[in-house]
Each structure stands twice: as C-alpha cells, then as structure tokens.
Amino acid sequence: MGDRPGTVGPQIAVLLGPQWTGIGRPVVSLARTSSTNDHARSLARIGAAHGTSVVADRQTSGRGRLARVWFSPRGLGLWCSVILRPRIAAAHLGPLPLAAALAVARGIKAATGFQCAVKWPNDLMAGDLKLGGILSEAAVAGERRPPEFVLLGIGVNVLQAADDFPPELRDRASSLLIEGFASGPAEVGAAVLRELDGVYRTFEEAGFAALKNGWVSLATMIGCRVRVSGAGGELTGIAEGIDEHGRLLLTTTSGRTVALAAGDLSLRRKEAPGEGPACFA
Ligand code: BT5
C-alpha cells in the first residue's frame, strides 16, 4: 500500500467543506494503493468510523466482483471506498449496491449535468458502455445481525480518452470526458459522497423500497431482452423490473417470471422471434 497522500482525496475534503459531517468524512487519501476496498478493510478492522472514505489517485490491483480486474489509472477516475457500519441486519443489505449506484448516478448528474443510466445489479452506464461500477463487500457475522462493517467501493471513469483504456475495454467502457462532460475526479467524488449520504439514510430508515422508483427511472434495460449469467448458469428473457429486495424480475422465454438476486446482465442485441424487442439494436 502506498503511504504518500494523493491529490484527489484532499480536494474532495475541501469540496465537502469543513462543516461536512456526513458520509465521506474523514477522507483518507493515498497516492497509490492495491485496492481502496483492501485499505478500507484494514482501517475498518482497527475501528475506523462509519462514513470514513478512502480515496486513491491510482489502484494497482483494483478489482470488480468475482476478483475481476478494475482498470484504475492515476488521476483519471474516482477510485473510492466508503466504510459503513449499518444498523440493519445483513439480510436486508442485498440491494445496497443498487442504492449506491443510484447515489453515484445522482452525484455525476450534480457534478457534470450528465445523466447516466444504471444497469442491474451494480453498473453505471453511458448508453451500452460502462462508466463505472460498485463493489460492495461485508464482514458478516450472521444474516439476522448487522454486519460489523460494509465496504462500498465506487469506481467512476472521469478523464480517460478512448486510448487510455486497454484494447479489450475500448468498445465496452466510457468516461465522462468521452461523453463530453468535463469534470475532475474530486468534483465527481464530493458530489457522489453528498448524494450517498442522503440515499444511505433513506436506505437505512425506509429500506430499498423507498429508492426503487428512483433506480428504475434510471434503468434503461427494463423492458429489454437480456441474458443473465450467474452461479446457476444462464437465463434469457425480458427484464421486467426489480422488486423491493433489488432482485431482477426476468420473464424467461417459457413465460415463467423469476427473481434473481445476483448475476451479470448483458443486453441481447439481435432480434429473435417471439422474444420481444432488443435494446441498443
Ligand atoms: C464492477 O465490477 O463494476 C465493480 C467495480 C468497482 C471498482 C471500485 S474502484 C474503488 C474500489 N476498489 C476496488 O478495488 N474496486 C472498487 P464488475 O461488475 O465485476 O465489472 C468488472 C468488469 O468491468 C471487468 O471484468 C472489465 O470487463 C470491466 N472493467 C474493468 N475496468 C473498467 C473500467 N475502468 N471501466 C469500465 N469497465 C471496466
């Protein structure tokens, strides 16, 4: 882990202002770390307070779900993890990544004016290109108890030009700059943390049910033909919506509707008879 302070974190602290006591405070700033989630975990284990954020200019082993690589070059994106100490049982935290994605989308809008979309379960999208993602990890001691802590990892591509992405991501990823919205990682970060503060308060007090409509209003894949892959294999069908637990409601080609708690969703681009419209065709 790098010990030098970074440049993005202190700017976020300034933008949040000295009076800010909400999520994001204190900001722990690093020039470089393996993964902000890992650094946040070691701080959480030694008692870091609810709301503490860890921001790095660059991650050397940034990761997505299932230990996938998350590309996090220096100064070009928001690479941040927030330590949460929930007061609600672990069993109710399933939709937290969706709530967080909603907060990030609202923060991006507040900082830049750009309205991105959310894609189930944890993506931020510009059309069908990935702009960012959420990695939520919890130290759970039983489903009926609050976890000791949750680490909410937030990655947003801000300043990359197309050729800053590795070749395998160039036709799948975008940044706010590529979308035509100039802003810095710190401006985006401060706005995201402000939104997260309000969204998380609603989540704890009223549950995801109170945020669901907001999430759905930004979800462009609803009504589309999609494929979902996960531990149980692959399913194809129409994404009808989500329920109050954040599960995807998918009507399969056989007409059965299933509620999926986890998986990877991809939009099917080619028309197939009897399967409904394809999106982004
Ligand atoms: C995610 O995983 O989308 C969660 C990403 C979370 C990143 C943040 S950064 C701060 C914190 N610290 C961390 O170490 N992580 C969090 P998933 O849905 O599994 O998507 C991963 C996939 O996205 C990869 O397999 C690539 O295909 C793609 N990808 C990798 N880097 C990307 C990037 N910068 N922009 C867009 N797509 C990317």
Side-chain angles (χ1 to χ4, degrees), residues 35-37 59 61-65 68-71 79-81 122-123 130 133-135 153-155 157 165 169 172-173:
S35 152
T36 53
N37 266 41
Q59 299 184 114
S61 309
R63 52 193 159 74
R65 294 171 301 150
R68 295 171 186 143
V69 171
W70 184 259
F71 178 66
W79 324 126
C80 169
S81 298
N122 69 324
D123 289 343
K130 184 155 168 159
I134 308 290
L135 175 68
I154 297 167
N157 300 323
F165 287 108
L169 284 183
R172 288 193 286 143

Side-chain angles (χ1 to χ4, degrees), residues 148-170:
E148 190 193 337
F149 56 80
V150 172
L151 310 168
L152 205 54
I154 297 167
V156 181
N157 300 323
V158 180
L159 285 172
Q160 288 99 331
D163 56 11
D164 286 320
F165 287 108
E168 69 275 17
L169 284 183
R170 272 179 211 162

Side-chain angles (χ1 to χ4, degrees), residues 8 36 44 112 117 120 124 140 222 248 272:
V8 178
T36 53
T112 67
W120 185 87
L124 294 146
V140 176
I222 306 278
L248 179 73

Side-chain angles (χ1 to χ4, degrees), residues 47-262:
H50 171 82
T52 302
S53 63
V54 176
V55 178
D57 291 1
R58 166 177 172 234
Q59 299 184 114
T60 52
S61 309
R63 52 193 159 74
R65 294 171 301 150
L66 307 170
R68 295 171 186 143
V69 171
W70 184 259
F71 178 66
S72 336
R74 183 190 314 280
L76 299 186
L78 173 68
W79 324 126
C80 169
S81 298
V82 173
I83 298 171
L84 301 174
R85 296 199 183 270
R87 289 172 294 183
I88 54 176
H92 300 305
L93 291 171
L96 183 58
L98 282 79
L102 173 63
V104 175
R106 287 181 179 168
I108 290 172
K109 170 87 173 164
T112 67
F114 178 57
Q115 184 63 77
C116 68
V118 294
K119 182 166 83 86
W120 185 87
N122 69 324
D123 289 343
L124 294 146
M125 305 294 290
D128 60 350
L129 303 176
K130 184 155 168 159
L131 192 65
I134 308 290
L135 175 68
S136 175
E137 298 175 319
V140 176
E143 285 295 295
R144 293 163 74 173
R145 283 199 264 160
E148 190 193 337
F149 56 80
V150 172
L151 310 168
L152 205 54
I154 297 167
V156 181
N157 300 323
V158 180
L159 285 172
Q160 288 99 331
D163 56 11
D164 286 320
F165 287 108
E168 69 275 17
L169 284 183
R170 272 179 211 162
D171 60 350
R172 288 193 286 143
S174 191
S175 72
L176 291 170
L177 184 71
I178 292 170
E179 297 303 318
F181 294 84
S183 190
E187 285 73 17
V188 173
V192 161
L193 291 166
R194 283 182 185 282
E195 294 293 337
L196 185 61
D197 188 63
V199 163
Y200 183 70
R201 191 166 308 140
T202 303
F203 183 84
E204 263 206 340
E205 286 168 7
F208 182 67
L211 297 163
K212 194 186 112 175
N213 288 347
W215 190 93
V216 167
S217 72
L218 299 181
T220 47
M221 35 47 87
I222 306 278
C224 293
R225 219 148 43 78
V226 300
R227 187 177 56 227
V228 181
S229 49
E234 232 175 60
L235 280 175
T236 303
I238 306 288
E240 305 286 359
I242 53 167
D243 67 13
E244 71 273 24
H245 307 294
R247 296 179 302 185
L248 179 73
L249 301 172
L250 184 82
T251 301
T252 63
T253 28
S254 65
R256 199 166 51 102
T257 300
V258 290
L260 302 171

